[in-house]
Amino acid sequence: MPSSCDSLMEDIEDMVSSSDPTPHERQSARKSIIPRSRKKKELLSDEELQADSLIPGTQKIWMKTWGCSHNNSDGEYMAGQLAASGYKMTDDPTEADVWLLNSCTVKNPAEDHFRNSIKKAQDQEKKVVVAGCVPQAQPRMDYLKGLSIIGVQQIDRVVEVVDEAVKGHSVRLLGQKKDGGRRLGGARLDLPKIRKNPLIEIISINTGCLNACTYCKTKHARGDLASYPIEELVERARQSFQEGVCEIWLTSEDTGAYGRDIGTDLPTLLWRLVEEIPEGAMLRLGMTNPPYILEHLEEMAKILNHPRVYAFLHVPVQSASDSVLMDMKREYCIDDFKRVVDFLKERVPGVTIATDIICGFPGETEEDFQETIDLVKAYRFPSLFINQFYPRPGTPAARMEQVPAHVKKQRTKELSQVFHSYNPYDHKVGERQHVLVTEESFDSQYYVAHNKYYEQVLVPKRVEFKGKMIVVDIYEAGKHFMKGKPVEDSKPFTPSIAMPLQKGEVSGLLQVSTYMQKQHDPQKGKFCACWLQISALSFSLLTNFSLLSL
């Protein structure tokens, strides 16, 4: 059995050396210190002070996030806390003092990019802090030696870790959040955050899952299912709408399993959230595995038909072969998947079903793969994520007999060709649709909107459309999008109940600032104007104190 010291060191490493004085010794030593005033000629100039000091909270930080929307939400929370404590977030990695790298462990290429970014940062003599699923699952990897790590359930302590990294210390926080022995969903949902898109709020409703898929490395990082209470999620949604958000994404490793650990379920949460959604704003559901949505199909159909919920569901099938699904330990058969899709297509006309497929899983035969090809041809999924199998270290699938690399590559290519052989939106040309405009296209030529079925519609880039529900006539369709022409006599509808935050502005501080302004007469000094700066400084001081108290 590990000692208490060992368990502590798993959570926080390399904070102080054994030769450093203890807090008690520091306090005792202070009694013998005689203050000595500095002579004028000894005073340091502003330039010397600035050059010689390493004051945490004054540096510039560049953050890079890989992976799923859950990881992106974690990144938004970390950026918000750092900005609230005084750090400046920058989009330019070259001018940053610290690189915060938020990793994904799903596939080898994502980890390769992560590892290469670490080396690049070190070559440029940047301070490096790592986060996300890779270091959580494999903190002792050679290329992570000496680096500070923020565990996936410790993102509320990002300021502490970055503060210490700035000072040259290596800190590792990898523990789990617990309450009375029960594992919690993660850090608090009311923390400051900087939304990548001020119009879209990403809410993680739970972390972990109930499965043990043989290929999955994420399970090693996120662990078993742990759900947030409904009231906390509803309050987070309410706050988001008060900050001008017009679209909410619910995310987790498996949204369908939500609530099973706390005595509730996904439909119960969704009906509560729907009550909070303003007219014209929309809710998008995240990924759900087939086993946990089967028993809720009736309620899910009703929810997906709601005018403020996108008729969209991401249900990964991974393979159409029951033999392969068994080897993957997916806990369903292909008929279960078909039942989910067929039921929703019948009860939710026009529903979009997105899915994932892994090509070349260990043991997959040509017959197995052909079953998958036939499934795609039959259902013609408009959104299909095709992944060549990569064995992840430490997973059971990595120890199985592998399909030859050239075969995996060929199957991936063949399935991609099938997917690109049909155009899912051609029949929609000529339709009139209501679409919600939330993003800008990658080429910056259009705004990106989505219709009721979460199908992508490109619209003219007019500033008055951003964040609005508009009416368009579809005049062109591509493989992944449609193009819409705004109807001339229609007026854009504003779903936001408040002005959206500016890009880069910290969420979660608005309510506090408004409250303070109401409590104090603006004629009585500069209290309100300085409050956020003071609170940020206090936040930094408190986190430093808590770190030194460990």
Side-chain angles (χ1 to χ4, degrees), residues 305-357:
N305 275 312
H306 193 283
R308 294 193 290 277
V309 179
Y310 286 118
F312 167 89
L313 202 59
H314 180 192
V315 189
V317 63
Q318 305 301 8
S319 173
S321 163
D322 284 341
S323 174
V324 174
L325 291 174
M326 184 176 296
D327 288 342
M328 290 179 172
K329 288 193 175 180
R330 289 291 288 169
E331 299 185 12
Y332 59 86
C333 62
I334 192 58
D335 284 343
D336 292 331
F337 174 81
K338 290 179 178 179
R339 181 184 166 202
V340 170
V341 177
D342 293 343
F343 184 94
L344 292 178
K345 280 181 170 290
E346 178 186 347
R347 299 296 183 90
V348 189
V351 66
T352 295
I353 302 294
T355 195
D356 302 357
I357 289 174

Coordinates of all heavy atoms in Angstrom, one line a residue, residues 305-357:
N305 N -37.2 17.2 -31.6 CA -38.2 17.9 -32.3 C -38.5 19.3 -31.8 O -39.2 20.1 -32.4 CB -39.5 17.1 -32.3 CG -39.5 16.0 -33.5 OD1 -39.2 16.3 -34.6 ND2 -39.9 14.8 -33.1
H306 N -37.9 19.6 -30.6 CA -38.2 20.9 -30.0 C -37.6 22.0 -30.9 O -36.4 21.8 -31.4 CB -37.6 20.9 -28.6 CG -38.0 22.1 -27.8 ND1 -37.5 23.4 -28.0 CD2 -38.9 22.2 -26.8 CE1 -38.1 24.2 -27.1 NE2 -39.0 23.5 -26.4
P307 N -38.3 23.1 -31.1 CA -37.8 24.1 -32.0 C -36.4 24.8 -31.6 O -35.7 25.4 -32.4 CB -38.9 25.2 -32.0 CG -39.7 24.9 -30.8 CD -39.6 23.4 -30.5
R308 N -36.1 24.7 -30.3 CA -34.8 25.3 -29.8 C -33.7 24.2 -29.6 O -32.7 24.5 -29.0 CB -35.1 26.1 -28.6 CG -36.0 27.3 -28.8 CD -36.0 28.3 -27.7 NE -36.7 27.7 -26.5 CZ -38.0 27.8 -26.3 NH1 -38.8 28.3 -27.2 NH2 -38.5 27.3 -25.1
V309 N -33.9 23.0 -30.2 CA -32.9 22.0 -30.1 C -32.6 21.5 -31.5 O -33.5 21.2 -32.3 CB -33.4 20.8 -29.2 CG1 -32.3 19.7 -29.2 CG2 -33.7 21.2 -27.8
Y310 N -31.3 21.5 -31.8 CA -30.9 21.0 -33.2 C -31.3 19.5 -33.3 O -31.1 18.7 -32.4 CB -29.4 21.1 -33.4 CG -28.9 22.5 -33.7 CD1 -28.0 23.1 -32.8 CD2 -29.3 23.2 -34.8 CE1 -27.5 24.4 -33.1 CE2 -28.8 24.5 -35.0 CZ -27.9 25.0 -34.2 OH -27.5 26.3 -34.4
A311 N -31.9 19.1 -34.4 CA -32.3 17.8 -34.7 C -31.0 17.1 -35.2 O -30.9 16.7 -36.4 CB -33.4 17.7 -35.7
F312 N -30.1 16.8 -34.3 CA -28.8 16.3 -34.6 C -28.3 15.4 -33.5 O -28.5 15.8 -32.3 CB -27.8 17.5 -34.8 CG -26.3 17.1 -34.9 CD1 -25.7 16.8 -36.1 CD2 -25.6 17.0 -33.7 CE1 -24.4 16.4 -36.1 CE2 -24.2 16.7 -33.7 CZ -23.6 16.4 -34.9
L313 N -27.7 14.3 -33.8 CA -27.2 13.4 -32.8 C -25.9 12.7 -33.4 O -26.0 12.2 -34.5 CB -28.2 12.4 -32.4 CG -27.9 11.8 -31.0 CD1 -27.9 12.8 -29.9 CD2 -29.0 10.7 -30.7
H314 N -24.9 12.7 -32.6 CA -23.6 12.0 -33.0 C -23.6 10.7 -32.3 O -23.5 10.6 -31.0 CB -22.4 12.9 -32.6 CG -21.1 12.3 -32.9 ND1 -19.9 12.8 -32.4 CD2 -20.8 11.2 -33.7 CE1 -18.9 12.1 -32.9 NE2 -19.4 11.1 -33.7
V315 N -23.8 9.6 -33.0 CA -23.8 8.2 -32.5 C -22.7 7.4 -33.2 O -23.0 6.8 -34.3 CB -25.2 7.6 -32.7 CG1 -25.3 6.3 -31.9 CG2 -26.3 8.5 -32.3
P316 N -21.6 7.2 -32.5 CA -20.5 6.4 -33.2 C -20.8 5.0 -33.3 O -21.2 4.3 -32.3 CB -19.3 6.6 -32.2 CG -19.7 7.8 -31.4 CD -21.2 7.8 -31.3
V317 N -20.7 4.4 -34.5 CA -20.9 3.0 -34.7 C -19.6 2.2 -34.6 O -19.5 1.1 -34.1 CB -21.7 2.7 -36.0 CG1 -20.9 3.1 -37.2 CG2 -22.1 1.2 -36.1
Q318 N -18.5 2.8 -35.1 CA -17.2 2.3 -35.2 C -17.0 1.1 -36.1 O -16.0 1.0 -36.8 CB -16.7 1.9 -33.8 CG -16.7 3.0 -32.8 CD -15.9 4.2 -33.1 OE1 -15.4 4.4 -34.2 NE2 -15.9 5.2 -32.2
S319 N -17.9 0.1 -36.2 CA -17.9 -1.0 -37.1 C -19.3 -1.5 -37.3 O -20.1 -1.4 -36.4 CB -16.9 -2.1 -36.7 OG -17.0 -3.2 -37.5
A320 N -19.6 -2.1 -38.4 CA -20.9 -2.7 -38.7 C -20.8 -4.2 -38.4 O -21.8 -5.0 -38.6 CB -21.4 -2.4 -40.1
S321 N -19.7 -4.7 -38.0 CA -19.5 -6.2 -37.7 C -19.6 -6.4 -36.2 O -18.9 -5.9 -35.4 CB -18.1 -6.6 -38.2 OG -17.7 -7.8 -37.6
D322 N -20.5 -7.4 -35.9 CA -20.7 -7.7 -34.5 C -19.5 -8.3 -33.9 O -19.2 -8.2 -32.7 CB -21.9 -8.7 -34.4 CG -23.3 -8.0 -34.5 OD1 -23.3 -6.8 -34.3 OD2 -24.3 -8.7 -34.7
S323 N -18.7 -9.1 -34.8 CA -17.5 -9.7 -34.3 C -16.5 -8.6 -33.9 O -15.8 -8.7 -32.8 CB -16.9 -10.6 -35.4 OG -15.6 -11.1 -35.0
V324 N -16.3 -7.6 -34.7 CA -15.4 -6.5 -34.4 C -15.9 -5.7 -33.2 O -15.1 -5.4 -32.3 CB -15.2 -5.6 -35.6 CG1 -14.4 -4.4 -35.2 CG2 -14.6 -6.3 -36.8
L325 N -17.2 -5.5 -33.1 CA -17.7 -4.7 -32.0 C -17.5 -5.5 -30.7 O -17.2 -4.9 -29.6 CB -19.2 -4.5 -32.2 CG -19.6 -3.5 -33.3 CD1 -21.1 -3.5 -33.5 CD2 -19.1 -2.1 -33.0
M326 N -17.5 -6.8 -30.7 CA -17.3 -7.6 -29.5 C -15.8 -7.5 -29.1 O -15.5 -7.3 -27.9 CB -17.6 -9.1 -29.8 CG -17.5 -9.9 -28.6 SD -18.0 -11.6 -28.9 CE -19.7 -11.4 -29.2
D327 N -14.9 -7.5 -30.1 CA -13.5 -7.3 -29.8 C -13.2 -5.9 -29.2 O -12.3 -5.7 -28.4 CB -12.6 -7.6 -31.0 CG -12.6 -9.1 -31.4 OD1 -12.9 -9.9 -30.5 OD2 -12.3 -9.4 -32.6
M328 N -14.0 -5.0 -29.7 CA -13.8 -3.6 -29.2 C -14.4 -3.4 -27.8 O -14.2 -2.4 -27.2 CB -14.5 -2.6 -30.2 CG -13.8 -2.4 -31.5 SD -14.8 -1.3 -32.5 CE -13.7 -1.0 -33.9
K329 N -15.3 -4.3 -27.4 CA -16.0 -4.2 -26.1 C -17.0 -3.0 -26.2 O -17.0 -2.2 -25.2 CB -15.1 -4.2 -24.9 CG -14.5 -5.5 -24.6 CD -13.8 -5.5 -23.2 CE -13.3 -6.9 -22.9 NZ -12.6 -7.0 -21.6
R330 N -17.7 -2.9 -27.3 CA -18.6 -1.7 -27.4 C -19.9 -1.9 -26.7 O -20.7 -1.0 -26.6 CB -18.8 -1.4 -28.9 CG -17.6 -0.9 -29.6 CD -17.2 0.5 -29.2 NE -18.2 1.5 -29.7 CZ -18.3 2.7 -29.3 NH1 -17.5 3.2 -28.3 NH2 -19.2 3.6 -29.8
E331 N -20.2 -3.1 -26.3 CA -21.4 -3.4 -25.5 C -22.7 -3.1 -26.3 O -23.8 -2.8 -25.7 CB -21.4 -2.6 -24.2 CG -20.2 -3.0 -23.3 CD -20.3 -2.3 -22.0 OE1 -21.3 -1.7 -21.6 OE2 -19.2 -2.3 -21.3
Y332 N -22.7 -3.3 -27.6 CA -23.9 -3.3 -28.4 C -23.6 -4.0 -29.7 O -22.5 -4.3 -30.0 CB -24.4 -1.8 -28.7 CG -23.4 -1.0 -29.5 CD1 -23.3 -1.1 -30.9 CD2 -22.5 -0.2 -28.8 CE1 -22.3 -0.4 -31.6 CE2 -21.5 0.5 -29.6 CZ -21.5 0.5 -30.9 OH -20.5 1.2 -31.6
C333 N -24.7 -4.4 -30.4 CA -24.6 -5.1 -31.7 C -25.0 -4.1 -32.7 O -25.6 -3.1 -32.4 CB -25.3 -6.4 -31.7 SG -27.1 -6.2 -31.5
I334 N -24.8 -4.4 -34.0 CA -25.1 -3.5 -35.0 C -26.6 -3.3 -35.1 O -27.1 -2.2 -35.5 CB -24.6 -4.0 -36.4 CG1 -24.7 -2.9 -37.5 CG2 -25.3 -5.3 -36.8 CD1 -23.9 -1.6 -37.1
D335 N -27.4 -4.3 -34.7 CA -28.9 -4.1 -34.7 C -29.3 -3.0 -33.7 O -30.3 -2.3 -34.0 CB -29.6 -5.4 -34.5 CG -29.6 -6.3 -35.7 OD1 -29.3 -5.8 -36.8 OD2 -29.8 -7.5 -35.5
D336 N -28.6 -2.9 -32.6 CA -28.9 -1.8 -31.7 C -28.7 -0.4 -32.3 O -29.5 0.5 -32.1 CB -28.0 -1.9 -30.4 CG -28.3 -3.2 -29.6 OD1 -29.5 -3.6 -29.6 OD2 -27.4 -3.7 -28.9
F337 N -27.6 -0.3 -33.0 CA -27.3 1.0 -33.7 C -28.4 1.3 -34.7 O -28.9 2.4 -34.8 CB -25.9 0.9 -34.3 CG -25.6 2.1 -35.2 CD1 -25.1 3.3 -34.6 CD2 -25.8 2.1 -36.6 CE1 -24.8 4.4 -35.4 CE2 -25.5 3.2 -37.3 CZ -25.0 4.3 -36.7
K338 N -28.7 0.3 -35.5 CA -29.7 0.5 -36.5 C -31.1 0.9 -35.9 O -31.8 1.7 -36.5 CB -29.9 -0.8 -37.4 CG -28.7 -1.0 -38.3 CD -28.9 -2.3 -39.1 CE -27.7 -2.6 -40.0 NZ -27.9 -3.8 -40.8
R339 N -31.4 0.3 -34.8 CA -32.6 0.6 -34.1 C -32.7 2.1 -33.7 O -33.7 2.8 -33.8 CB -32.8 -0.3 -32.9 CG -34.1 0.0 -32.1 CD -34.2 -0.9 -30.9 NE -35.3 -0.4 -30.0 CZ -35.4 -0.6 -28.7 NH1 -34.4 -1.3 -28.1 NH2 -36.4 -0.2 -28.0
V340 N -31.6 2.6 -33.1 CA -31.5 4.0 -32.7 C -31.7 4.9 -34.0 O -32.5 5.8 -33.9 CB -30.1 4.3 -32.1 CG1 -29.9 5.8 -31.9 CG2 -30.0 3.6 -30.8
V341 N -30.9 4.6 -35.0 CA -31.0 5.5 -36.2 C -32.4 5.4 -36.9 O -33.0 6.4 -37.2 CB -29.9 5.1 -37.2 CG1 -30.0 5.9 -38.5 CG2 -28.5 5.2 -36.6
D342 N -32.9 4.2 -37.0 CA -34.2 4.0 -37.7 C -35.3 4.7 -36.9 O -36.2 5.4 -37.5 CB -34.5 2.5 -37.9 CG -33.6 1.9 -38.9 OD1 -32.9 2.6 -39.6 OD2 -33.6 0.6 -38.9
F343 N -35.3 4.6 -35.6 CA -36.3 5.2 -34.7 C -36.3 6.7 -34.9 O -37.3 7.3 -35.0 CB -36.1 4.7 -33.3 CG -37.2 5.2 -32.4 CD1 -38.3 4.4 -32.1 CD2 -37.1 6.5 -31.8 CE1 -39.3 4.8 -31.2 CE2 -38.1 6.9 -30.9 CZ -39.2 6.1 -30.6
L344 N -35.1 7.3 -34.7 CA -35.0 8.7 -34.8 C -35.3 9.3 -36.2 O -36.0 10.3 -36.3 CB -33.6 9.1 -34.4 CG -33.2 8.9 -32.9 CD1 -31.8 9.3 -32.6 CD2 -34.2 9.6 -32.0
K345 N -35.0 8.5 -37.2 CA -35.3 9.0 -38.6 C -36.8 9.0 -38.8 O -37.4 9.9 -39.5 CB -34.6 8.1 -39.6 CG -33.2 8.5 -39.9 CD -32.6 7.6 -40.9 CE -31.2 8.1 -41.4 NZ -31.2 9.3 -42.1
E346 N -37.5 8.1 -38.2 CA -38.9 8.0 -38.3 C -39.6 9.1 -37.5 O -40.6 9.7 -37.9 CB -39.4 6.6 -37.9 CG -40.9 6.4 -37.9 CD -41.4 5.1 -37.4 OE1 -40.6 4.2 -37.1 OE2 -42.6 5.0 -37.1
R347 N -39.2 9.3 -36.2 CA -39.9 10.2 -35.3 C -39.4 11.6 -35.4 O -40.1 12.5 -35.0 CB -39.6 9.7 -33.9 CG -40.2 8.3 -33.6 CD -41.7 8.3 -33.7 NE -42.2 6.9 -33.4 CZ -42.6 6.6 -32.2 NH1 -42.5 7.4 -31.2 NH2 -43.0 5.3 -31.9
V348 N -38.2 11.8 -36.0 CA -37.6 13.2 -36.1 C -37.3 13.4 -37.6 O -36.2 13.2 -38.0 CB -36.4 13.4 -35.3 CG1 -36.0 14.9 -35.3 CG2 -36.6 12.9 -33.8
P349 N -38.3 13.8 -38.4 CA -38.1 13.9 -39.9 C -36.9 14.9 -40.2 O -36.8 16.0 -39.6 CB -39.4 14.5 -40.4 CG -40.4 14.0 -39.3 CD -39.7 14.1 -38.0
G350 N -36.0 14.4 -41.0 CA -34.8 15.2 -41.4 C -33.7 15.2 -40.4 O -32.7 15.8 -40.7
V351 N -33.8 14.4 -39.4 CA -32.7 14.4 -38.3 C -31.4 14.0 -39.0 O -31.3 13.2 -39.9 CB -33.0 13.4 -37.2 CG1 -33.1 11.9 -37.7 CG2 -32.1 13.5 -36.0
T352 N -30.3 14.7 -38.5 CA -29.0 14.4 -38.9 C -28.3 13.4 -37.9 O -28.2 13.7 -36.7 CB -28.1 15.7 -39.0 OG1 -28.6 16.5 -40.0 CG2 -26.7 15.4 -39.3
I353 N -27.9 12.3 -38.4 CA -27.1 11.3 -37.6 C -25.7 11.3 -38.1 O -25.4 11.0 -39.2 CB -27.7 9.9 -37.7 CG1 -29.2 9.9 -37.2 CG2 -26.9 9.0 -36.8 CD1 -29.4 10.2 -35.8
A354 N -24.8 11.8 -37.2 CA -23.4 11.7 -37.5 C -22.8 10.4 -36.9 O -23.3 10.0 -35.8 CB -22.6 12.9 -37.0
T355 N -21.8 9.9 -37.5 CA -21.2 8.7 -36.9 C -19.7 8.6 -37.1 O -19.2 9.3 -37.9 CB -21.9 7.4 -37.3 OG1 -21.6 6.3 -36.5 CG2 -21.5 7.0 -38.8
D356 N -19.0 7.6 -36.4 CA -17.6 7.4 -36.5 C -17.4 6.0 -37.0 O -18.1 5.1 -36.5 CB -16.9 7.6 -35.2 CG -17.1 9.0 -34.6 OD1 -17.7 9.8 -35.3 OD2 -16.6 9.3 -33.5
I357 N -16.3 5.7 -37.7 CA -15.9 4.4 -38.1 C -14.4 4.2 -38.0 O -13.7 5.1 -38.4 CB -16.4 4.1 -39.5 CG1 -17.9 3.9 -39.6 CG2 -15.7 2.8 -40.1 CD1 -18.5 3.7 -40.9

